[in-house]
Amino acid sequence: MSEAPLVVVANRLPVDRDPDGGWRQSPGGLVTALEPVMRRTRGAWVGWAGKPGLDIEPFDFEGTHLHPVRLDADEVENYYEGFSNDTIWPLYHDVISAPRYRRVWWDAYVAVNERFAAAAADVAAEGATVWVQDYQLQLVPQLLRDKRPDLTIGYFHHIPFPAYGLFAQLPWRRQVLEGLLGADVIGFQRVQDAGNFARAVRRQLRLDTKASGITVPLPDGGERLALARAFPISIDADSYIEMARRPEIQARAAEIRASLGNPKKILLGVDRLDYTKGIRHRLKAFGELLEDGRVKTEDVTLVQVASPSRERVEAYMQLRDEIEVMVGRINGDHDTMHHTAIRYLHQSFPREEMVALYLASDVMLVTALRDGMNLVAKEYVASRVDNRGVLVLSEFAGAADELGSAIRINPHDIDGLKDAVVRAIEMPGAEQGRRMRALRKRVLEHDVEDWSREFLDTLADVSRARTSA
């Protein structure tokens, strides 16, 4: 059994299975962010291995102790596909799709959260720091505190936290708030998310909140202070810059443009196939621009990458059908013998291919209806080593708080979105350069390593203040 000084608790382990049965590091941004600190501290990572029914003993991988949590098929269906992704996800994303409240899902969510908390308690050293990640594990902080009051506990919420009027619909709202308040530091993407959480705590639990501090009562009659603050997540910007400068990736970008018929402008959307991403709004706006004659298929192509997501959840199956019908209709109306209006790609690509796509594209469209951050916007900016390209960014994505030089849009305003797309297409090179340099300055100065360091430093400060009190 590991006695780790730092334990990360996340729904998934930071590794995937190789075809030959071995393990390889997962590509996610969280894994990249935490890899250096995990290796430095010889930390442990508690998470699910990604397939139901797997019994895997704890093992070490590249300096990190991995502690797998088993999930059976019915738990994946109820805890993950059900409560996490058919209750919490739509509710926390402004009910863009209607959330469903099922008691059997909640029971599975509680049981799985208890299992994750028990695993973390087993591997954490005396006085260790435990960092819990995201909405699948909102009960873990308090469950863990009950088991191990010696621990310093952080929690980071990667998705939005809803306004109180929406959150109050959740039948288990008190249990979720109490679960999160088990943490010493509760981190959010945006200031407004932290504010929404504090308001929910005041309304539901009647606790005192001041600035970012929340006074939490203890069972012995005492109290402690929990911090709820914004810590906007970022990317490993240097790795995108390095790839964008490689001659073979720049050559691949030119190849992509040629394969699309060398249009004057390429628009790009890159999303998980999710109803929160505003893909339908984007397609509608582009289709109308073609109908209106404001853009021509010979001149402008939209490339839409929509990577598969939650394919067993009904709302996602329906969304895929709708989008494919829209793409087919627009292409049927506007394609020519040599040019396609929309190149639709329902698949995932390696990072090198994505960087080539970013370099090949003149305009990046981020039209999220609600998004915790949207790291694709930052990836595009980091990749534009030529200081060209235009970012069209939804004001409802967390990235809009930081990337002020983007063209901001309300994706529900289709006419405004159309005008923004035309403005981006027609933007002179000098203005592109001014805007992109400002965007790149922000992304390069605040990368993912800064994010993890800032959160863990804040957690350490809270721990020191508690022990010295």
Side-chain angles (χ1 to χ4, degrees), residues 460-469:
D461 290 343
V462 171
S463 177
R464 280 192 293 271
R466 190 176 65 232
T467 53
S468 64

Side-chain angles (χ1 to χ4, degrees), residues 30 84 88-89 91-93 109 131-139 141 154-162 167 176-177 180 183 185-190 192-194 196-197 228-233 370-373 451 455:
L30 179 65
S84 295
I88 292 293
W89 182 269
L91 178 66
Y92 283 28
H93 285 86
Y109 187 81
W131 194 2
V132 183
Q133 304 289 333
D134 221 5
Y135 65 102
Q136 301 95 344
L137 303 173
Q138 293 175 101
L139 307 183
Y155 170 89
F156 188 76
H157 195 75
H158 291 258
I159 68 172
F161 195 89
F167 181 74
V176 167
L177 293 174
L180 293 172
V185 177
I186 306 115
F188 298 92
Q189 300 279 25
R190 308 182 82 168
Q192 72 182 45
D193 295 325
N196 287 344
F197 174 73
R229 269 186 47 197
F231 297 86
I233 198 169
R370 193 82 162 89
D371 214 338
M373 176 52 63
W451 168 77
F455 189 98

Side-chain angles (χ1 to χ4, degrees), residues 65 84 86 94 104 111 166 228 342 445:
H65 182 73
S84 295
D86 218 353
D94 292 357
V104 68
L166 293 176
I342 302 171
E445 286 178 353

Side-chain angles (χ1 to χ4, degrees), residues 127-129 145 149-153 184-185 224-225 227 229 453-469:
T129 294
R145 186 167 294 281
D150 60 293
L151 299 174
T152 299
I153 302 169
D184 295 292
V185 177
R224 65 181 180 84
L225 194 67
L227 290 182
R229 269 186 47 197
R453 184 170 52 244
E454 184 185 358
F455 189 98
L456 291 171
D457 285 351
T458 303
L459 202 48
D461 290 343
V462 171
S463 177
R464 280 192 293 271
R466 190 176 65 232
T467 53
S468 64

Side-chain angles (χ1 to χ4, degrees), residues 363-400:
V363 179
M364 182 83 219
L365 299 177
V366 176
T367 58
L369 308 181
R370 193 82 162 89
D371 214 338
M373 176 52 63
N374 195 286
L375 293 178
V376 164
K378 294 187 174 184
E379 291 172 5
Y380 179 74
V381 166
S383 300
R384 294 311 304 227
V385 292
D386 59 353
N387 287 318
R388 287 294 181 269
V390 184
L391 175 63
V392 175
L393 179 59
S394 167
E395 63 190 71
F396 303 119

Side-chain angles (χ1 to χ4, degrees), residues 173-174 177-178 181 200-207:
R173 56 202 181 182
R174 288 183 67 88
L177 293 174
E178 288 165 353
L181 284 174
V201 166
R202 285 197 301 272
R203 296 282 294 273
Q204 273 299 310
L205 305 181
R206 306 295 179 191
L207 299 184

